[in-house]
Amino acid sequence: MVSISDVARHAGVSPTTVSHTLSGKRKVSETVREKVRRAMAELDYVPTRAAQSLALGKTGVLAVVVPDIAIEYFAELAKGIESVAMERGYNMLLATTGFDSGRESRYLEMIASRAVDGIIYASGAVLGAKARAALNGRLPVILVDEEIEGIVDLPTIVSDNEAGGRIVAEHLLSLGHRSVLEIQGAPVHAPVTSVLRSTGFASAWEPAGGRVFTTSGDYSVESGPPAVDGFADAFAAGEITAVFAHNDLMALGAIEGLRAKGFDVPRDVSVVGFDDMSISRHSCPPLTTVRQDTQELGTLAARTLLHALETGEQLVPGRIAIPVELIVRASTGEVRR
């Protein structure tokens, strides 16, 4: 395999000169540049990723850490990041953590110690000390989708979760609902996001005198049925007339669980989700939900990181919240009198 040193000997220059010729970081005379190009052509030399990294002082790789690419939300997020990265000549290294804090820490430590230029990180679990140390290392980092409690010195790009919770409450109130079961995210998964959605919901619900029953799930479809099972008597008595789940998958699971108990959605119980995944448009009934612009979260995170890498400017700590909107479908209706 031909190396930079082989090219340098063939051209009669130093390896450093070859490196400068490849990177363009220092001025090389046209005569020397031509010698190096000729040597590369004669030796059929193609710069390896390692050689280019050495010459350019960068890898051209962004690390993207998400909980689970099988979940459409995170697939769309990664797609948005990748579209910008490829457009700008960067590759994307994708790591999925499975909502496992230990696995997440191992990935972050590995990425922080390997050859990548920056990290876009969508948290899936409560961070341990090792993961926090990796995020506070030498690499530029952007947090996306989830704010991390106690980390304020990194740029964070999220959906406006508080506004999302508020518009759900306003919608249910407009339909006459005054008692709701709120299926929050379990504390070990995206805790700040869930708190903000609850806070936004309460800001409109409580002044109207609404009652809230709470339970939690792990953001999966499977956690939806058990979340509603324990409240069957309250649904039957009309004490609870609506469900607000903190993501679409739990909302769809809740509909499944309600049906299994003999309740009709939305005649007996209205159900609202959060995300607007494609499956929600085709469920039966189609799900009322809060739409997040997931690809925009990804593209904005990628553009912000790449701007810093390409200009040498420091990333600015702070929070950017992308607007959300309510998509009303057939899973919500007026309270039966």
Side-chain angles (χ1 to χ4, degrees), residues 122-147:
S123 174
V126 176
L127 289 188
K130 288 184 178 180
R132 287 177 179 272
L135 287 176
N136 288 321
R138 59 181 180 81
L139 292 173
V141 178
I142 290 185
L143 305 180
V144 65
D145 175 60
E146 167 70 0
E147 299 173 58

Side-chain angles (χ1 to χ4, degrees), residues 11-325:
V13 298
S14 70
T16 303
T17 300
V18 176
S19 180
H20 292 332
T21 303
L22 288 171
S23 68
K25 291 175 78 173
R26 293 196 182 178
K27 190 173 181 180
V28 177
S29 72
E30 190 55 42
T31 301
V32 171
R33 190 182 304 278
E34 186 54 38
K35 281 184 180 180
V36 172
R37 286 174 179 161
R38 193 181 307 119
M40 288 171 62
E42 290 172 358
L43 295 175
D44 197 22
Y45 171 74
V46 178
T48 63
R49 171 69 63 182
Q52 288 176 316
S53 300
L54 182 63
L56 298 173
K58 65 178 186 178
T59 67
V61 178
L62 303 182
V64 178
V65 182
V66 298
D68 190 349
I69 205 68
I71 296 174
E72 181 186 324
Y73 176 89
F74 294 110
E76 291 296 310
L77 183 70
K79 188 185 297 182
I81 295 168
E82 185 179 41
S83 66
V84 175
M86 298 297 287
E87 186 181 279
R88 304 274 273 271
Y90 280 75
N91 293 314
M92 185 177 84
L93 171 66
L94 182 65
T96 59
T97 65
F99 292 100
D100 183 296
S101 58
R103 184 169 158 186
E104 195 163 49
S105 294
R106 289 194 297 274
Y107 265 131
L108 285 172
E109 289 178 56
M110 181 196 75
I111 289 167
S113 65
R114 299 291 179 91
V116 298
D117 294 332
I119 302 171
I120 297 175
Y121 174 63
S123 174
V126 176
L127 289 188
K130 288 184 178 180
R132 287 177 179 272
L135 287 176
N136 288 321
R138 59 181 180 81
L139 292 173
V141 178
I142 290 185
L143 305 180
V144 65
D145 175 60
E146 167 70 0
E147 299 173 58
I148 300 177
E149 193 172 2
I151 294 184
V152 296
D153 56 348
L154 296 176
T156 304
I157 301 173
V158 293
S159 294
D160 194 338
N161 291 295
E162 197 165 351
R166 184 173 63 252
I167 59 179
V168 169
E170 290 168 350
H171 173 63
L172 291 175
L173 290 169
S174 74
L175 296 172
H177 296 278
R178 293 297 183 273
S179 184
V180 68
L181 172 64
E182 186 177 357
I183 307 176
Q184 303 169 345
V188 294
H189 300 307
V192 176
T193 291
S194 192
V195 167
L196 289 173
R197 290 176 187 175
S198 291
T199 300
F201 185 86
S203 70
W205 193 256
E206 290 179 356
R211 294 177 66 196
V212 179
F213 297 80
T214 61
T215 186
S216 64
D218 64 2
Y219 290 103
S220 68
V221 171
E222 291 75 18
S223 66
V228 298
D229 280 353
F231 297 89
D233 290 343
F235 289 123
E239 292 178 15
I240 302 175
T241 62
V243 173
F244 168 36
H246 281 202
N247 81 333
D248 286 355
L249 295 178
M250 291 193 296
L252 295 173
I255 292 175
E256 179 186 319
L258 288 165
R259 279 185 175 154
K261 295 290 186 181
F263 299 106
D264 180 84
V265 175
R267 189 187 65 182
D268 299 320
V269 184
S270 289
V271 178
V272 185
F274 206 113
D275 285 339
D276 193 30
M277 299 170 66
S278 61
I279 191 175
S280 304
R281 299 162 216 160
H282 307 293
S283 61
C284 185
L287 183 67
T288 294
T289 185
V290 177
R291 175 178 291 165
Q292 302 189 75
D293 194 340
T294 315
Q295 284 206 33
E296 176 60 18
L297 285 172
T299 56
L300 182 56
R303 288 190 187 115
T304 303
L305 179 58
L306 289 172
H307 176 78
L309 292 174
E310 291 169 353
T311 63
E313 295 178 9
Q314 293 293 314
L315 288 169
V316 179
R319 177 179 179 271
I320 298 173
I322 304 296
V324 297
E325 63 175 315

